Amino acid sequence: MTATPTAHRLPSVGDTLGRYTALRIEALPEMSGTLVLLRHENGARHAHVAREDDNLAFGVTFPTVPRDSTGVAHILEHNVLMGSRKYPVPDPFFSMLPRSLNTFMNAMTASDWTTYPFSTRNVQDYDNLLSVYLDATFFPLLRYESFLQDGHRFEFETPDDPTTPLKLQGVVYNEMKGAMASAGSVMWRSLGQALYPDLTYANNSGGSPEHIPELTYEGLRAFHAAHYHPSNAYFYSYGNQSLEHVLERVEDQVMSQFPAQTLDVSIPDQPSFGAPRRMDVVYPGSDTERGAQALVAWKLGRSSDPDLNLRWSVLSDVLLGNAGAPLTRPLIDSGLGSALADLSGYRDSFREGAFAAGLKGLSAGKADEVEALVLATLGQIADAGLDPALIESSLHQFEIAQKEVSNSGYPYGLQVMFRLLGPWLYGGDPVTGLRLDAELGRLRADLADGKRVFETMIAEGLLDNPHRVTLNVTPDPELAARTEQSERALVERLSADFTDEDRARIVRESLQLQSLQGQESDPNVLPTLTLADVPAGVARPEYAAEQAGRALVGRVPQPTGGLDYLDVQVRLPDLGDLLDVLPLYAYAVTRSGAAGQDYVALARRAEAVTGGVSASAAVGTAPDDLGRVRLALTFSGKALARNGGDLVSLLRDVIAQPEFTRERLRQLLEQRLAGLKASVVGSGNAYADRLASAQVSLSAATDERLGGLSLLANLKAIVEGGEGQPASLDDRLDALLARFAELHTLILRGQPLLCLTALPDDLELDLTSITGLFTGDAAVGVPTPPRPARTPQARLTDSPVAFNALAYPTVPYTHTDSPALLVLSRLLRGEYLLPEIREKGGAYGAAAGFDTRAGVFSFSSYRDPHVRRTYEVFQNVQAFLAGDLGERELTEAILSASKLLDPLTSPDTVGRLRFFGDQGGYTPEVQEAYKARLLAVTLDDLRRVAATYLTPERAAYALVAGKDPNADVQELGLEFEVTKV
Ligand SMILES: [Zn+2]
């Protein structure tokens, strides 16, 4: 989509705009933008980045420094989004989602700030969202019932029966119980506590489940009044829009209603340690063989110092940035653990920065060895000196990061916000977050003078620095049970002297909350877009396609900032049971050696001339036939245009001549296994959804083998041994290597599609060394994954909460019912599942999804305290649809669905999406026909498709949970097949 460029006038330094004064104007040449910094009379700060980008962004950020672990900042973030003065509906934030064409809406609580960002390509939508965000943050109702619902409350097991057992409930309470079950979050919380024990970072800003019940309603309100004030706010606006217009809105809606206020949220320095320390932490887990992590961490200087910040970032990348890096390699080669510990590297998200390195996948009791190895290796590096080529490679990575403009991950406008917030919130210069040239220049000058810049930092900042902690994180198989026990003890202690009156109050409050949740509210007080705002077309970026032998090559001209993006997609022939080998091959191939270079040499080569290369396997389905499924392996990479030729030759070597060794493969499989195991408690809903969908769809069954719990099981059998596997690990690895060789032959017989995205002048890159590799003539195959039986499947893992899923087979993309199913999924999510499962059930999330290409309709819940209750909600969809639904619900669901058809793109993605979409049959005509049908969907269509496709005999069940669900679901007539993950 091209916006008509309109020049918006920017102020000069010293100009006043209302009660704002422009303090600084800075050009940002790397991103073709301009930064304007302003200050309001009452102390509020505002940063505006003017840039030719039609995806407009906004954010308001408050430093929030909790003094305890009750989760006050986090619970406040939830409560702020639950009704405000102008918008007194229970959940304006969720209600706005479907009334908007936003490309991003969220709120986040970090350890010392809370932010509320959004972005959208629609100008009216921007004003609407701005109004809702400002009212929510500055004028929230903070109702007592919201505090009970999302914070914490007592509830009787049967809410209106005070003779049943008492329980603790609350959305954040359950969210944090789930979060504290993962080693990664436990480490993150512990790092702050270990390095900064006297500061706010020692607290769990998300809330520790055992301390959340200590938060009072009055405490929550006081925290809001103290922190969410204009004088303590950092506003941000971005894009091709009028700054004056934004400021006027903020003035009218917020500034005019507050007197100035001073609040001291400054964070002091952490007094330095006299000697290194040690901290032992446990998390609930049963993998005592490989579930431990050890991390050596140091406190550094102020992270708002731009020179320090840049230098530690570069050093961190030099030491740990790739598999061949001088600190990474000895750690991995030691065989102590399988991968770098979570949080390894430099962090500037504390006022004083931190550097850390360590290993995960350890058995217990290895922390001392890891610590000794980290220190010894750093000592050797400091003595021997760093290879200047490694430093040059890292600086080249910073050059790429500065030039790249991508909406992948976060919208670019919000990436810019996070970059400037770093130094800004800690009293540094926000410009340094966006423009590194001065700091880079000073660093290069010091290096050119022969100064041992980085060696000195290692010696003084790390080895001689006594402010060091070794974190030893181990799984404790009994912890989950102990936590449950202490939760019961906590409930008993807190309720020990409850009178009958107290019990009556709990019943009353539960019922009050229930009736509030059941109450109809009128979302029409909220602003909205209409169906007329949905753009009718889809993006049609131009590209040229040419046949080169068996290969089809697309060349896409885009304003990439001087980067080249290259994808080599190989559509694969029939793989048979090599399907299970494919995801392992994809993971290993860019992390091993190639063409005579070992993995270390290849990793260094990639770091020196590219911005990264990767490979991934994916499944595609024809738009008109759910049986026409195919597999592709895609190799991707990016590089500065001056290194385009090097990128091509690197990818060629990886595709044509990969070299796997048993030893490296062992390391990689252990890493991958550790990563997958750790992901289960955080993404149980996705795994459960895949497992349910696999029972009803060929495409989903294939996808489950590529990235579901089947992959985890296969990998575990290879790494840890198992039934039907050779007894020795070496034999198992050799068997896999033989399978890799077979697969490699088949890949080169596949059908290649290449797509190059670059500036027009860089498009003539010679790709023949890659296209010439594919000389075979094998037909593209249809995968034949082992199909799981249509039986409810339960997978047990270390989790105090459940993830429930239910899937139904439906129709292909071009079928006339497909758009109605997509709209239905959006309607159910917002109008039915969130109120029933999140608000009433206390789960952190719930969703209905429709995979338009695989043709699978599914339900899932996230961090859910219930199983039976949730399945009842899923099964009762027809009854809900028979109820009172109107035009508003329909319009919102259609708007919301249309967003999925118009994803936010950027120069790096827009052309390749079009090229590969066209080749898969998803042409602009096919997509626009879908959109036209979507806009015409009626409520009757929704009821009809639900009655046709969401029927009991088509349903497939799967869940991931901590315990056997069968006793609980008996009365639903379900029986789950239970296995351990
Ligand atoms: Zn939360």
Side-chain angles (χ1 to χ4, degrees):
M1 240 143 290
T2 48
T4 330
T6 32
H8 292 291
R9 205 177 56 81
L10 291 176
S12 308
V13 173
D15 282 1
T16 52
L17 293 97
R19 294 198 288 158
Y20 287 92
T21 306
L23 303 179
R24 272 173 84 184
I25 318 283
E26 296 285 340
L28 305 168
E30 289 279 17
M31 65 173 79
S32 315
T34 306
L35 172 71
V36 184
L37 289 172
L38 307 110
R39 189 91 186 214
H40 192 271
E41 260 176 38
N42 67 15
R45 303 154 187 85
H46 192 112
H48 177 73
V49 172
R51 249 195 108 236
E52 203 61 51
D53 185 345
D54 68 344
N55 189 44
L56 312 178
F58 174 84
V60 57
T61 306
F62 307 96
T64 42
V65 285
R67 292 171 210 278
D68 55 41
S69 293
T70 58
V72 59
H74 180 194
I75 293 172
L76 179 59
E77 174 218 311
H78 278 242
N79 275 237
V80 150
L81 305 174
M82 295 172 73
S84 61
R85 203 165 68 181
K86 238 157 89 184
Y87 307 113
V89 295
D91 52 356
F93 200 73
F94 283 114
S95 302
M96 254 332 261
L97 280 168
R99 301 168 74 86
S100 148
L101 290 171
N102 70 81
T103 48
F104 188 92
M105 268 182 86
N106 212 337
M108 299 143 205
T109 312
S111 47
D112 55 6
W113 46 263
T114 309
T115 190
Y116 298 83
F118 71 79
S119 70
T120 177
R121 291 169 291 194
N122 181 298
V123 181
Q124 179 60 49
D125 201 22
Y126 191 88
D127 278 352
N128 294 353
L129 290 168
L130 182 62
S131 175
V132 172
Y133 269 59
L134 292 176
D135 206 55
T137 47
F138 290 98
F139 308 104
L141 297 176
L142 300 181
R143 280 181 281 227
Y144 180 59
E145 293 78 10
S146 310
F147 170 74
L148 295 179
Q149 178 181 303
D150 271 45
H152 63 87
R153 65 178 183 274
F154 274 119
E155 198 170 88
F156 291 102
E157 200 153 272
T158 308
D160 57 357
D161 180 356
T163 61
T164 56
L166 260 184
K167 288 164 71 171
L168 275 164
Q169 273 295 2
V171 172
V172 170
Y173 183 72
N174 284 317
E175 179 190 346
M176 294 312 294
K177 268 166 75 176
M180 298 324 285
S182 100
S185 358
V186 170
M187 284 212 47
W188 172 242
R189 301 298 176 189
S190 309
L191 181 68
Q193 207 182 349
L195 280 181
Y196 316 96
D198 303 328
L199 307 186
T200 185
Y201 307 121
N203 303 314
N204 182 340
S205 66
S208 329
E210 71 269 29
H211 291 298
I212 289 176
E214 293 161 14
L215 179 67
T216 63
Y217 177 55
E218 293 68 34
L220 181 84
R221 295 187 67 99
F223 194 85
H224 178 266
H227 291 81
Y228 285 41
H229 187 281
S231 308
N232 188 45
Y234 293 72
F235 293 87
Y236 169 77
S237 52
Y238 163 92
N240 187 18
Q241 63 174 332
S242 157
L243 168 62
E244 271 171 301
H245 178 77
V246 177
L247 296 180
E248 275 165 22
R249 297 245 150 190
V250 177
E251 177 68 44
D252 278 359
Q253 291 178 42
V254 178
M255 300 304 176
S256 56
Q257 314 191 36
F258 282 92
Q261 167 181 308
T262 34
L263 168 71
D264 185 12
V265 290
S266 64
I267 299 168
D269 285 339
Q270 165 66 43
S272 288
F273 297 170
R277 295 181 184 180
R278 163 83 176 246
M279 186 165 169
D280 296 306
V281 201
V282 290
Y283 73 92
S286 52
D287 190 1
T288 47
E289 284 294 301
R290 296 161 194 275
Q293 299 204 27
L295 186 75
V296 189
W298 289 265
K299 186 195 80 162
L300 308 172
R302 301 264 170 84
S303 56
S304 56
D305 177 326
D307 285 296
L308 270 184
N309 210 17
L310 173 72
R311 289 171 190 219
W312 278 107
S313 304
V314 173
L315 179 57
S316 175
D317 189 61
V318 171
L319 292 175
L320 297 164
N322 65 73
L327 183 53
T328 303
R329 194 181 168 203
L331 281 172
I332 300 294
D333 282 354
S334 73
L336 283 168
S338 56
L340 291 179
D342 296 341
L343 309 180
S344 291
Y346 172 62
R347 321 235 129 235
D348 62 2
S349 49
F350 301 109
R351 185 169 162 275
E352 294 169 283
F355 178 81
L359 281 170
K360 65 176 169 186
L362 299 170
S363 49
K366 297 284 184 195
D368 292 337
E369 279 176 71
V370 172
E371 179 189 278
L373 181 60
V374 168
L375 298 177
T377 309
L378 287 171
Q380 284 156 16
I381 296 170
D383 289 346
L386 280 165
D387 180 352
L390 297 184
I391 298 170
E392 207 41 59
S393 291
S394 276
L395 289 172
H396 151 262
Q397 296 298 324
F398 281 81
E399 189 184 345
I400 292 178
Q402 291 272 298
K403 288 192 165 153
E404 182 162 39
V405 175
S406 171
N407 283 326
S408 304
Y410 276 96
Y412 184 71
L414 293 175
Q415 296 177 34
V416 168
M417 180 183 89
F418 285 114
R419 276 163 60 187
L420 74 84
L421 271 182
W424 204 19
L425 293 176
Y426 294 134
D429 181 355
V431 180
T432 61
L434 304 181
R435 212 177 55 192
L436 288 173
D437 35 347
E439 291 74 22
L440 273 169
R442 283 194 288 274
L443 173 58
R444 285 201 179 274
D446 282 353
L447 291 170
D449 284 352
K451 290 191 186 150
R452 290 167 50 89
V453 175
F454 295 113
E455 292 81 356
T456 311
M457 285 163 65
I458 295 173
E460 293 173 4
L462 304 180
L463 295 170
D464 297 339
N465 176 0
H467 198 117
R468 183 182 91 211
V469 179
T470 299
L471 259 180
N472 176 31
V473 181
T474 48
D476 179 344
E478 262 85 63
L479 184 61
R482 275 209 314 277
T483 308
E484 248 192 80
Q485 217 168 40
S486 54
E487 185 184 319
R488 275 197 303 272
L490 180 69
V491 171
E492 266 164 45
R493 185 164 57 75
L494 294 176
S495 60
D497 32 78
F498 272 5
T499 58
D500 285 349
E501 205 168 305
D502 289 324
R503 291 171 190 280
R505 176 181 49 84
I506 290 166
V507 169
R508 202 169 54 239
E509 285 180 357
S510 295
L511 297 180
Q512 208 175 325
L513 188 57
Q514 271 180 11
S515 89
L516 252 164
Q517 286 166 340
Q519 237 169 50
E520 281 294 311
S521 68
D522 182 13
N524 284 326
V525 301
L526 290 162
T528 188
L529 294 183
T530 67
L531 294 188
D533 290 303
V534 177
V538 297
R540 295 179 187 235
E542 53 172 310
Y543 65 83
E546 89 233 3
Q547 201 70 39
R550 191 164 151 74
L552 183 71
V553 178
R555 295 179 192 266
V556 190
Q558 281 289 324
T560 59
L563 270 76
D564 290 357
Y565 298 88
L566 179 60
D567 297 289
V568 181
Q569 183 182 94
V570 188
R571 292 179 174 179
L572 299 169
D574 219 334
L575 292 188
D577 62 358
L578 284 172
L579 170 65
D580 286 339
V581 177
L582 182 64
L584 305 178
Y585 186 96
Y587 183 75
V589 71
T590 54
R591 295 173 172 88
S592 297
Q597 292 185 300
D598 67 4
Y599 83 88
V600 173
L602 201 80
R604 289 190 177 173
R605 180 176 158 200
E607 174 103 2
V609 293
T610 76
V613 293
S614 62
S616 64
V619 54
T621 311
D624 55 353
D625 182 356
L626 294 177
R628 260 171 62 214
V629 171
R630 59 163 193 277
L631 270 176
L633 177 61
T634 304
F635 299 85
S636 305
K638 65 184 173 193
L640 295 168
R642 64 168 189 263
N643 298 325
D646 297 313
L647 172 64
V648 173
S649 79
L650 180 72
L651 281 180
R652 191 220 78 96
D653 289 351
V654 167
I655 297 168
Q657 291 172 271
E659 289 175 12
F660 303 101
T661 63
R662 198 202 270 162
E663 186 43 30
R664 179 61 178 157
L665 188 59
R666 183 189 58 77
Q667 288 176 355
L668 290 173
L669 297 184
E670 285 178 355
Q671 267 171 34
R672 184 79 178 116
L673 180 60
L676 281 175
K677 278 180 175 173
S679 70
V680 176
V681 286
S683 311
N685 53 327
Y687 285 114
D689 193 334
R690 276 180 150 127
L691 206 55
S693 302
Q695 298 173 39
V696 297
S697 146
L698 172 60
S699 165
T702 309
D703 183 61
E704 210 281 324
R705 303 306 293 189
L706 295 178
L709 290 173
S710 299
L711 168 64
L712 179 77
N714 290 334
L715 191 52
K716 204 169 156 201
I718 297 171
V719 175
E720 297 173 5
E723 229 176 291
Q725 292 284 337
S728 93
L729 175 60
D730 282 352
D731 289 347
R732 297 195 295 272
L733 291 170
D734 287 346
L736 182 62
L737 286 171
R739 307 281 277 158
F740 272 15
E742 285 175 59
L743 182 58
H744 178 243
T745 309
L746 285 176
I747 291 166
L748 291 180
R749 292 179 59 202
Q751 191 190 73
L753 299 169
L754 279 70
C755 184
L756 173 69
T757 302
L759 289 172
D761 285 349
D762 300 326
L763 276 181
E764 291 312 310
L765 193 61
D766 183 1
L767 302 172
T768 48
S769 67
I770 295 178
T771 55
L773 295 172
F774 298 89
T775 51
D777 56 357
V780 174
V782 175
T784 48
R787 298 286 289 271
R790 181 77 80 83
T791 311
Q793 302 279 329
R795 296 287 184 277
L796 302 191
T797 186
D798 298 311
S799 169
V801 280
F803 304 88
N804 305 301
L806 174 56
Y808 301 90
T810 69
V811 294
Y813 188 89
T814 52
H815 191 286
T816 48
D817 285 344
S818 180
L821 285 160
L822 184 63
V823 173
L824 177 65
S825 71
R826 306 311 289 175
L827 179 100
L828 291 177
R829 185 190 139 84
E831 299 293 326
Y832 179 57
L833 297 173
L834 285 173
E836 289 295 327
I837 292 176
R838 179 178 159 109
E839 289 163 25
K840 295 185 200 162
Y844 183 48
F850 180 54
D851 183 333
T852 56
R853 298 192 176 192
V856 178
F857 193 101
S858 63
F859 295 108
S860 62
S861 70
Y862 186 65
R863 289 186 184 161
D864 189 346
H866 302 286
V867 175
R868 188 194 66 229
R869 182 187 180 281
T870 295
Y871 279 118
E872 280 168 351
V873 173
F874 290 163
Q875 290 171 341
N876 285 339
V877 160
Q878 318 282 358
F880 164 75
L881 288 172
D884 194 16
L885 291 169
E887 278 309 304
R888 176 192 64 77
E889 288 86 348
L890 179 67
T891 304
E892 290 184 2
I894 295 176
L895 266 178
S896 167
S898 79
K899 266 184 287 193
L900 302 174
L901 305 180
D902 258 327
L904 180 63
T905 55
S906 44
D908 54 329
T909 55
V910 67
R912 55 159 85 142
L913 280 174
R914 182 75 281 141
F915 174 75
F916 289 114
D918 286 354
Q919 299 314 314
Y922 295 88
T923 60
E925 293 71 28
V926 168
Q927 290 182 330
E928 283 168 5
Y930 194 100
K931 227 176 184 182
R933 275 203 295 271
L934 183 95
L935 292 172
V937 165
T938 65
L939 282 170
D940 282 343
D941 290 334
L942 300 185
R943 294 188 176 110
R944 181 179 51 77
V945 296
T948 311
Y949 302 104
L950 312 190
T951 57
E953 64 282 2
R954 302 168 76 93
Y957 295 79
L959 62 84
V960 171
K963 47 184 179 237
D964 188 326
N966 277 321
D968 183 30
V969 296
Q970 219 169 19
E971 48 188 278
L972 294 182
L974 290 175
E975 189 174 352
F976 281 80
E977 196 178 284
V978 182
T979 44
K980 289 213 71 166
V981 164

